Amino acid sequence: MLQMFISILVISINIKSNKIMKIKSKLKSKNFRKLSLLVFYCTMSAVIMAQTKTVSGVVTSSEDGEKLIGVSILEKGTSTGTVTDVDGKYTLTNKSDISTLIFSMVGMKTKQVAVGNKTVINVIMEPDSKLLDQIVVTGYSKQKKADLTGAVTVVDVDQLKKITSNNPIQALQGRAPGVNITTDGSPSGSGTTVRIRGIGSINSNIDPLYVIDGVATQGGMHEMNPNDIESIQVLKDASAASIYGSKAANGVIIITTKKAKEGQLQVNFGARASASWYDSKIPMLATQEYGQAMWQAKINSGDKNPDGSGYGYNFITGYNTDGTPKLLQVIDPTAVYLDNDPTKSYYHTMKISNTDWFNQITQKALSQSYDLSVLRGTDKGNTMFSMNYTNNDGIIKTTNFERFSARINSDTKLINGKLIIGENLSLNKTGEIQDPGVMDLTFQTLPIIPVHTVDGIGWGGPVAGMNDRQNPVRLLEDNKQNKYDYMRLFGNVFAELELIKNLHLKSSFGIDYSDYFKRSMQLAYSSGYLNNNQNGVNNNQGHSIKWTWSNTLNYQKTIGKNAVDILLGTEMYKQHDESFWAQRLGTGSYVSEDPNYMYLDAGTGTMSLGGGAAENTLLSYFGKANYVYDQKYLASVTVRRDGSSRFGKNNQFGTFPAFSLGWRINQENFMKDLSAISDFKLRVGWGQTGNQEISNVGTRSIYVTDYAGNNPTWDPSTSTAYDITGSTTGSLPSGYRITQRGNDNLKWETSTQTNIGLDFGFFNQKLYGSIDYFIKDTKDCLINPPYLAAIGEGGNHWVNGASIQNKGFEVLVGYRSKIGSDFNYDITGNAGSYINVVTSLPAEVVNNYGGNGTTDNILGHSLGTFYGYVADGLFKTQDEVNNSAEQNGKALGRIRYRDINGDGVINDKDRTWIGNPNPDFTYGLNINMEYKGFNLTLFFQGVGRVDLNDYAVKSFTDFWSVRETGSNKGIRLLNAWTPTNSSSTIPALTSTDSNNESRFSTYYIENGSYCKLKNVELGYNVPQKALKVIHLSRVHLYVSGQNIFTVKSKSFTGIDPERPDFAYPLPITFTSGINVTF
Amino acid sequence: MKKIAYIIVIAVALTSCTDFLDLQPKAILSEAQVAGADNADKFVIAAYASLGNDHYNIPFSLWPYGNVRSGDAYKGGRDEADIQAFYFMETFKNMRTDFGEVDGIWYNIYVGISRANAALRNINTLTEAEYPNMKVRQAEMRFLRGHWYFMLKEMFKYIPYIDETVAVTDYEKISNRALTNDQLWDKIADDFEFAAKYLPAVQPEIGRASRYAAQAYLAKTRLYQAYEQDEQNNVININKDKLNQVVTLCDSVMSSTARLETDFGYNFMPGAYENGNESLFAVQYSHDDGTSKGRLNFGDILATPQGLGCCDFHKPSQNLANAYKTGANGLPMFDTFNDTDLDLTVNTVDPRLNHTIAIPGHPWKYDPTLLYDKSWNRTPDVYGVYASLKENVSPKCDCFIHLDPFFGNTKNRIIIRYADVILFKAEALIELGREYEALSLINQIRTRARRSTGLLKMSNGNYESNFNVSNYIPGTNCVWTQDYARQALRWERRLEFAMEGNRFFDLVRWGIADSYMNAYFTKEKTKRTYLKDGLFTKNRDEYLPIPFNQINFSKGTYKQNYGY
């Protein structure tokens, strides 16, 4: 029993060693040692008993001879022990018959010393090669990092947590080579996408798989409490990931949550507050400037004496001495009101204004987060309980995200520790008021419109002649109560039984239950000529239950120099979703628009409703064998066979094999003597993974009764109902339509990946890193290609289409050292690069991804490569206009397009490949410094040359008439080409886009490379002496800032190359916080 | 032993669920579930439903294609850049093969065709014993298919013709040039012939196609076919046989109970006026019908003036308004109508002016208490102050539906009406050299126009305008030669069917689109500066380009139209 206790203790320390790596640099700080002392003192004191013999001594480090604080000393075979004090001293009064003491400390190699007759035992401890002994979760099992043969990146979770983000995956940006993360600034952080090793597929879902405590999921990471995370590992290559078979094609991110350790009693509390603001505002035209641009566009288009637009603008055109027109007046100085039409209800309620709409919709946003965790471990089991409350306001007004989460992770040991049962369960309740999509509108709304009418209550809005864009402030205000609530129960219960020695049977039942509810109120409004006197309520709810039952049998055995680890398993997965919505809407449907009143029951308008369900299952069998010979030669074989309900009988199952080999060259005799080399391992892996991310009914021919059709406001109705009797109202007869043609032969998309990697470490892992090279071929991509219009309905058809290849390399290098005795630093850098190529395309889709439709297509190019015209500058002289190729609409100041095929005519044959949206490389650099109680962290993240398609914004910032002429424009176009401003590269303003400059061309392609100081954090640990007085073991204070500055390409015309479009903008954030451990 | 038992239990549990992967899909139907006689009527309904599944930028009313391109209407909206492709079509400048709107209407018409074909495929597997309505329903589906192909044909000329017997995998092998211009007309005519043969004279449900609708549409098809075109869209011959067929078919329709409405305006009014005597086939719209927004006339939704809703598109041109002026003899001012702009204090007009065009100060949709105002216009300095009345309704009507930010209505859209049949026949007779027989037909239309003033009154009981319409009386107010008759017929068609989506196709049929449009631009651009670039390119602009996407998707099986 005692022995078992010790072994469990050791195991728990080993498991924890993963954590050790991340805080290792802190270990060298004296304060941390003091902290460790306290923690260990607390935890160990419980097991100290009265004794008869006294042993004492000092424990020092072999590295620098410093005294080690907080080393735990345990009598072998007992639960008695102590810890070293701030001077590295210990005194242990023990039983006389105890022969051996075990010295252990996080970050140090455990040492056993025989007591004998000694009363003074001084010990020198050696640092652990932590990176190598770290335990890595690799899929249904764990391995020492030294024994890994796949491409696995272990993320430094402590560094990651320095990013103030709800979404732990958002903070992963720049942390792992080969993992590309794009994100937005929404308060939930839900707009984050993750791509591992390039774009793995053409059409289907390309998100990675997340495995949280053994339970797979594909999203909702913003619902997770980041403080619960103990470790994150990214399995990038197939040899590592293929144990997850069908779901692993896009890589796997394994997340393990915190568990208490035996003997631990710890309470942690943390709090932080952040302020964020919008600093990527695109400079827009003000009221006067908009008028100037409009006038110029009309003049340029041949209008000799342009009038205003009928709403405030009242041009007076004069002439310069050379006869060129000039604008003498933009707005009638006596004009006060925008709306001068007495027949309108809003007559003389809106004053001519100069509204900066971006200022109106954004705010300085405050966020706060509080978390509490209690960890308690005994020899009978361990419990971790945590709670978190987060409330984030967004920098767009009224947007907000709120999360309450609770977690309990516990295990209980039974039958002398041979049976462990436990659970990891989290319950999260999130709520969000989302951005109703105002960025685009804010861009377009005219500055002359006031936010409010003169009474300060009514809404400003467009008058005749303007575009029909809604007042974005109104949209936000009317949306402020439309919050969704989402409740999610996620986790697993498990039992692990040691059947015979070294043979473990584990059964885990995972559950992911979610419940979504949203009540949206639509309020009546009047905003200029836009108005709607209808009001109503829309309720939307969805329930989803996913369960995973996995059973594994694991056998581990070491015979001499041979170590074998065999795993066999089965898994069943089922997902069932149900949704339901109901609406009541009508003119005056609700007499009060109070949120307390607006429920479905209380209204009088027309009711409508809908609902649906979806279901799918997976059945899997898998096996894995790891073999290590003499700690030098490593081999691993994996096979997984998956069956999916999504495929027809013909191809229901897919088999995904993998193998990998490793050679720890530094263990060879010829290298063993080179003490500078602490690690040198060559890894080679090959494997296959599958992808089944299609609709649950993707193989079937589908007929539906589509009574209501889709929402017909912005797209054609698809309804099958018709008033055949001419009765005009009432229930209609309805029929069927086909929405998809079946394909019984549809089969799994398969990725085959080869990986070659080298892990290295020098000077006892002071300098360490890895290099990986991979080739990933994806074939039989599941695609639902666009189709010939003549097919009409039922053109949708899933096929196994193209093949694509990604190949690239990844480098990770770390260096840690110290200057003097108090200054420690640690630098970690990583970079990844890949090239994506489409290697084959079935004939039916050969023209679907760009190309001229005949001779030129995407084959051999990267997926998503832009196809368009080459903008060859502007026509600057009449000679240039006259002597260029025939181009409809060409004129002075207009874009000249390149005659690619040289036939003297600019037409669709002159398009070519003009940009690659895949970045040349991405990188991250983390610098961590510690001096006494202080620590400073700088984190840079960036991407190399990448071609951005900036059409969405640039078509508004550089042109008058490429998009809505009635919309506001960016200030750049004030510098547009005119005969007197002939050096401008911005085309002359025109009333109509007669040169077809809306055509997709290099004009819209921008260099999106950037380097950002993503995070800077200054932290301080309050000295132990001060803490002792107030009975705390650790107090950490910090301030940090995010997105502090950006270095971008000089040629980039936008503001933020990371988020150039109308997505939720990324804010600058400053945070201060405190973490306290009792 | 217990442990081993545990393993066995798990193993058995897993292996016994071989049906774990066999799931039934939710809320969808398989091909087998929709087969058979019980479902035949449902496919038929779905095919009819397509008639109402258009959209403001792909309108089956064809307002941009038939009216804006003909000089009867301006595009409207905020300015030229508002649905810019329609502006380019309006001026025929910058015509491109990749307009999304053109690709969109092409696709959505083929959706209609695919629904008709799906219904036919289903019915063809049945026997009359299983499905007593078999022949009638086949005829209805072929009527709809003929309607869709006719729309494609008049817009694109060369189109891939696909019927219900073609397997989907073979679609892309069928070129738009597999059939000649004439053969394509014959295919369309085949469907209407079948429909005319098997459809009853009167359908128990008003929304279904009847025999006379099919005959009228067949007459229209043969009339278009009669004007034979070469590859460059020049009219090279007028086929007398086809014209004779038109006359026969029209005679048959005229033997039915269909009649002209007593008042022209009744054709464009909602409620009890819908599906009247004159309406041979109409799209049936509905509201409060259980769909989310109602089955509205989505295609014409933008034509609502800004003063009532949104977005003031489809504005009658000054040229059109002027065309309603009448001389002292009560006849159109063929040569001088456009010399000065319509002035109701001076000019006498055809009453159809006030049924067709909203003029500031006049009642909106026959409501003297609701005067159409200049302020209802969105950008009067660009598009003038007129609005289109035919597709619009009174805001007081319960058929006027808010579809934020738009306003739609559920007034039926007539696809073919009896007046059309009268003038088809008149046109055929004139081209056959029997212009004297056409005279009474044209006068029948004019007589009805003259009597259609009852709705056109101000609140004080006075008529809206000074109306003066005469019949053509040879020897009294005209000399009825073939040329004169042709001119009268063409004018009459314009006045009668203005803003109903036909005019441009009439001009192309007659082979005069280029001269007519360029003459129009010369004058109209002095009033509407935005038309200054207007230029019709002969031998190209008679038809739209085959959408670029479709040529690509067909991998070059489709050929582009001449001139593009």
Side-chain angles (χ1 to χ4, degrees), chain A residues 341 465 499 529 531 570 572 617 649 703 707 718-719 721-722 724 728 736 789 793 853 964-965 994 996, chain B residues 3 14 20 22 29 39 53 78-79 94 96 115 207 284 286-287 289 295 306 375 402 532 548 550 552:
Chain A
D341 179 355
L499 293 167
Y529 71 67
N531 59 81
T570 62
M572 295 168 79
T617 51
K649 286 268 178 275
Y703 288 83
Y707 188 91
T718 54
S719 176
Y722 191 67
I724 197 79
T728 309
Y736 308 123
E793 279 174 346
E964 289 283 330
T965 51
S994 50
N996 187 19
Chain B
K3 302 159 189 167
L14 286 180
F20 183 63
D22 262 344
L29 295 163
N39 293 305
N53 289 350
R78 190 194 57 250
D79 61 14
N94 298 298
R96 305 205 308 266
R115 285 196 182 179
Q284 309 290 320
S286 50
H287 60 91
D289 52 13
R295 303 280 289 131
Q306 205 72 4
S375 70
H402 197 170
K532 67 184 180 337
F548 181 75
Q550 301 311 321
N552 269 4

Side-chain angles (χ1 to χ4, degrees), chain A residues 472-507:
Chain A
V473 181
R474 179 190 73 77
L475 286 186
L476 290 171
E477 187 61 24
D478 285 358
N479 188 55
K480 70 182 176 189
Q481 70 289 321
N482 294 341
K483 178 182 180 184
Y484 74 70
D485 281 307
Y486 190 69
M487 182 80 89
R488 187 176 184 193
L489 176 69
F490 185 92
N492 66 332
V493 292
F494 62 89
E496 189 171 351
L497 178 68
E498 186 171 23
L499 293 167
I500 54 172
K501 197 170 181 333
N502 295 328
L503 180 64
H504 290 86
L505 175 70
K506 185 171 180 184
S507 185

Side-chain angles (χ1 to χ4, degrees), chain A residues 827-861:
Chain A
I827 300 171
T828 324
N830 73 76
S833 176
Y834 67 89
I835 295 170
N836 174 289
V837 174
V838 177
T839 51
S840 86
L841 272 181
E844 57 191 307
V845 296
V846 74
N847 291 328
N848 292 2
Y849 303 95
N852 62 8
T854 50
T855 52
D856 203 8
N857 58 50
I858 189 80
L859 268 178
H861 299 278

Side-chain angles (χ1 to χ4, degrees), chain A residues 6 10 76 100-104 109-114 123:
Chain A
I6 291 166
V10 170
K76 187 168 182 176
T100 305
L101 294 180
I102 300 167
F103 293 79
S104 62
K109 280 185 177 164
T110 301
K111 196 159 187 175
Q112 298 197 6
V113 180
V123 172

